[in-house]
Every structure is written in C-alpha cells, then in structure tokens.
Amino acid sequence: MARSPLPPVPSPLIDVEVGAAARRGEPLAAVLPRDAETPYAELAESLRAAGKAGEVHVVPDGHGARWLVGAGDGGQKQYRAAGAAFARAANSFAEAEADAGGRPPRTVQAMLPPEAGAEQVAAFATGALLGGYRYVVTGEERKPGVRRLRLLTGHEGAVPACADAVRRAGRLAAATALARDLANTPSNVKNPAWLAGVAERVAGEVSGLSVTVRDQDWLAAQGFGGMLAVGGGSASPPRLIELSYRPRGASTHLLLVGKGITFDTGGLSIKPAEGMHLMRTDMAGGGAVIAAVRAVAALGLPVRVTALVPAAENHVSGSAYRPGDIVRHYGGRTTEVLNTDAEGRMVLADALAYGVRRFSPDAVVDVATLTGAMKVALGLRTGGLFASDDALAERVREAGERAGEQWWRMPLLDAHADDVRSEIADVRQAPPGPGGITAALFLREFTSGLPWAHLDIAGPARAERNYDEVVPGGTGFAARTLVELVASYA
C-alpha cells in the first residue's frame, strides 16, 4: 500500500526535558537576556549579540556554546520568541549537517540564565515546541530535525518546579499544534466526516473525554436548518461533533462552540479566486475547540466542558442555499439569508441554540474565523473579543495573557441591535453596518441571555511568515486561551 504523503495528526513534537548540568557531546545554546551579566558577556560583545529576543548568533568553535540566543527583557513573550528562534536554528543546523554527509544531532541543550524562573523556562519550551513545528505534504523523506531539547537551569533545586511547568506547557503546545494540524490539512482530505473521525480518534487517546458525531439524518430530524442549508451544496454532508468532558465533582460547566467550515467557496455569493485556497483553514475555530478540550482532559482540570463543532462545506451547486432563503434553526428561530458567504454564523446559530437548550451551561464561548472586518480592525495578530458579560470578558483576556495570545474587547453596540432584525424572518444574517459587531449581535440572539463570549479569530488564525512561536499556515490561535480559560474556573 502506498504511503500517505499527509503528515500524521497530531504532529509529533520534540521531547523537552529539564536538567541542571550540560551533557558532553550535545550542542549547547546559551540564552542571554539583554544587558545580563553572564559568563558569555564578553563573547556576546565580540559577536555584537545585543540579547534581542529571538536573535541567534552562531559561536565559533572552541567557546563552549554553539549558539547565543537573545531573550530580550526576560518576559515570557521574549522567552517564547527565544525558544522558537533557537528551535529553527537547531533544525537548520541539523539539516545542514545531513546535507554535508554528517550526523545531525538528535538532542540539543539550552542553558538558561540563573534568574529564569519556572514560567520563563516553560515559555522557552513553548516557543521551541511550536517554533519548530512543520506541516508539509510531500512524497519525499522528512527533513532531519532535532528530536529532544534539554533545558538547563544551572542548579538542581530548580529542576522539579521547572519540569512541572514544562510538562504543562507541553500540553498547551500540543493543543496549539493539533489545532494547526487540523487547519492545515487540505480540504480534498478534510471534509466534515474526516474532521469528525479525527476528533473521535484523538479524544479516544485521553481518559474521560467522549465524542458523539451526529449525521445529516439526525440534524434533519432535530431541525438544524442552518447546518443543512450551508452543507446542502456539497457532496460531503455536514456533521455535528459533540465532545464531553465530565470530571467528578465539577461545579462549573462551560460550553465551547467552534466554527467547523472545512472549506468555504462563499457559496452562490462566491469569493474571489485569489485567496480562496486559504479557506481550508476556515474551521480553525473548531480545530481550536477540539484541541483545547483534549488538553483540558489530559490536564485533568476539574471543570465540566461540553464542546460543539458544527462542521460543513460551503460549496456551489444546484442544491446550494440562496440569498433570500428563510432558514429555520434548531429551536425554531428563523433567519433571512442575505449573503451565503456569511455561512459561519448560520452553523454557529444552530450549535449555540442546541448547546444552550440541551446542556444549560454556566457560560458559553464560541470561536470562529468569522469576519474580514476583524482583520481590518485588529490586524493579523490580535483576536476580537465580544462578550455579554464583563467578568467573562476579563477571564478570556487574562487567559489569553497567560497563554501568550492577545485579545482586544470590541463593543456590542445596542445601536446596531435593530439592524439584525428582519422584516420577513426573526433575524437577518448579514445586515449592513460594522461587520464584526453585527455578526456578534446576530450570534447573541441564540445564547438565551447566558454569559457569552464570541472570539473572532479571522486575523490571527493564519500566518504568512514566522514571528515569535508562530509559523506560516494555521497558527492554532485560541486553543491555549481556551485551556487557560477553563483552568481559571478550577
């Protein structure tokens, strides 16, 4: 049988361990915060290494370390950038050694400064795990890369606390990597059934996490009109992916909902050809939710979580839904369709209404690559945060800060609430006005007044180049924030 050119999902990440002393024969990097007094200060000056975060200098032979890696002002963001830059440099070195006929290293070491605490060590590990991430569909052999990173604290007493922090960071990094895998998988493979199958498989690897997949017959019987309308134009029917994590003694129940559009042509309101290939990542919100709940269960957090991913393809065919259609969602609410390229809110409306009625959670958070308006407003590195509850909004923002993901709260302007009303249905799906705000106001109609947050990740869900721990392609943005959010209720 021919070997599949697709990378495995989840992608394997490097192993990270923590120790106190360097081992002979394994390449070593010295991590230098800016203006720090270290044994490598004179060498850094000779190499003009200023200690800028993510700056890597190759050291001439005979100086102990092979690389000097800058960590900036020593904050967690700077340590993540340093770890990512080092992982890329180490992998490049391994490839060069292999190309030259040498023996590429399997393990590399990084000596962190004595003042680096467990949080900085964990941040460096996060950067290394994610900065070295690769997703390439190829028939060629995978390029050699580093398989293990040994982080050195300099003194034995710091090892246990740092090791615990690194293990937790590894779980969060694995969530980001899985979300990237799901977003990066090409849509000739990734249809709703494939996404559901992967969710079942990866959830089955973690104790306490269960998955139920609902097919199109069940969706029709239950009245999921939004999902059926959006998925009606595709040969691949929609699926509702339901993940459940119910630890004993949990007193809080969160509902997470992620947009799962596995490819988006725009439907009859078709997108321009330029850029449409990127729509394989239009299920990045759903991927983040699947990955986050898997990490929550792996960490054993004492919080009940239910996750819903309404998965569908938005295609063009004789059975595609049309502008002007009236769609009846789960629970009976009706929507006037104005633009078939505003499909994400159609499937989210069904899932939100179902999740709220079926599970009665304490709070609801949805995640979606929803509007180009958020890319215009906030750029490509910041997620838009809308919330009906100030306390929940602050929890999300603080969770993002801990995770290293930036959110900016946007207003839910009641002045535009009437714009969502329709003359011939309960609501209209794509009214005029500020696009990100009206989309959020539309979703709010299906939350039954519960504390609710909407995370629009249209900008930061994809990247075109390396920055910090981010690599080109799907970024996995929001997965770590969701884990930290759940942890905040523990």
Side-chain angles (χ1 to χ4, degrees):
M1 182 180 293
R3 181 171 63 89
S4 171
L6 287 176
V9 176
S11 289
L13 299 179
I14 62 172
D15 295 324
V16 182
E17 60 185 42
V18 180
R23 292 174 178 167
R24 296 183 61 184
E26 295 174 349
L28 175 69
V31 181
L32 308 177
R34 183 178 290 152
D35 301 325
E37 289 295 329
T38 74
Y40 293 95
E42 186 175 335
L43 177 61
E45 185 176 352
S46 70
L47 294 174
R48 296 183 179 179
K52 180 181 177 183
E55 179 183 76
V56 179
H57 288 267
V58 178
V59 177
D61 289 341
H63 288 82
R66 183 177 294 274
W67 301 275
L68 297 184
V69 181
D73 64 10
Q76 291 184 54
K77 175 180 172 62
Q78 286 71 35
Y79 269 97
R80 283 193 300 272
F86 174 53
R88 294 174 189 131
N91 281 330
S92 295
F93 173 68
E95 291 177 21
E97 285 290 293
D99 290 344
R103 187 175 180 179
R106 290 174 176 265
T107 301
V108 293
Q109 307 178 95
M111 174 65 76
L112 284 88
E115 63 269 24
E119 291 183 345
Q120 285 79 15
V121 175
F124 189 91
T126 298
L129 287 161
L130 295 176
Y133 171 94
R134 300 171 176 176
Y135 188 96
V136 180
V137 180
T138 177
E140 298 179 359
E141 290 297 320
R142 186 178 177 89
K143 291 183 178 180
V146 170
R147 298 184 182 179
R148 180 176 291 105
L149 169 62
R150 181 172 168 82
L151 299 177
L152 308 174
T153 65
H155 51 98
E156 196 71 43
V159 170
C162 289
D164 286 345
V166 165
R167 275 191 290 272
R168 185 178 188 278
R171 293 290 192 189
L172 271 71
T176 297
L178 173 57
R180 290 178 180 181
D181 291 338
L182 297 175
N184 286 330
T185 298
S187 294
N188 57 321
V189 172
K190 178 179 58 189
N191 60 21
W194 180 91
L195 185 61
V198 171
E200 288 182 305
R201 177 169 57 80
V202 300
E205 299 167 354
V206 181
S207 176
L209 184 58
S210 62
V211 179
T212 303
V213 178
R214 314 290 190 179
D215 65 13
Q216 66 270 31
D217 293 334
W218 185 91
L219 295 171
Q222 297 295 319
F224 281 69
M227 289 186 65
L228 294 169
V230 172
S234 173
S236 298
R239 296 285 189 271
L240 178 66
I241 305 166
E242 182 179 314
L243 301 97
S244 178
Y245 171 64
R246 302 183 66 171
R248 288 183 180 178
S251 59
T252 302
H253 183 191
L254 299 182
L255 173 66
L256 306 181
V257 181
K259 174 184 170 184
I261 301 298
T262 56
F263 194 77
D264 181 20
T265 66
L268 294 180
S269 306
I270 195 162
K271 293 178 179 290
E274 182 181 359
M276 194 191 290
H277 63 287
L278 297 173
M279 291 300 102
R280 63 177 173 266
T281 67
D282 207 25
M283 38 55 64
V289 163
I290 292 169
V293 178
R294 182 174 183 261
V296 165
L299 289 167
L301 299 179
V303 180
R304 181 182 173 188
V305 181
T306 300
L308 300 173
V309 178
E313 287 185 333
N314 189 24
H315 276 268
V316 182
S317 75
S319 58
Y321 79 130
R322 297 157 291 258
D325 284 0
I326 304 293
V327 171
R328 187 177 298 277
H329 294 281
Y330 178 89
R333 202 166 187 78
T334 58
T335 290
E336 177 189 5
V337 177
L338 300 181
N339 184 335
T340 64
D341 193 24
E343 83 299 329
R345 65 199 73 180
M346 297 292 291
V347 302
L348 288 172
D350 276 344
L352 287 167
Y354 168 73
V356 167
R357 176 179 289 191
R358 172 71 176 79
F359 300 107
S360 300
D362 296 302
V364 183
V365 179
D366 75 75
V367 191
T369 51
L370 205 65
T371 67
M374 280 297 96
K375 294 172 69 174
V376 174
L378 299 177
L380 303 181
R381 301 191 185 186
T382 303
L385 164 60
F386 298 83
S388 63
D389 181 85
D390 290 342
L392 178 58
E394 186 61 15
R395 276 186 185 268
V396 172
R397 190 198 63 76
E398 290 177 350
E401 189 172 309
R402 290 191 298 274
E405 295 176 334
Q406 182 169 291
W407 301 92
W408 189 266
R409 190 173 183 186
M410 301 292 292
L412 280 170
L413 298 174
D414 285 333
H416 292 283
D418 286 343
D419 294 341
V420 179
R421 305 279 171 249
S422 168
E423 293 182 357
I424 59 173
D426 293 319
V427 289
R428 52 179 179 168
Q429 149 246 39
I437 293 172
T438 55
L441 289 168
F442 173 86
L443 294 177
R444 188 177 67 173
E445 296 288 319
F446 298 87
T447 60
S448 297
L450 287 177
W452 158 77
H454 161 57
L455 310 183
D456 192 331
I457 60 171
R462 293 182 289 271
E464 296 182 356
R465 61 184 181 87
N466 291 327
Y467 65 88
D468 298 338
E469 72 272 22
V470 174
V471 299
T475 65
F477 193 90
R480 301 202 304 276
T481 292
L482 292 176
V483 178
E484 292 286 9
L485 175 65
V486 173
S488 75
Y489 287 93

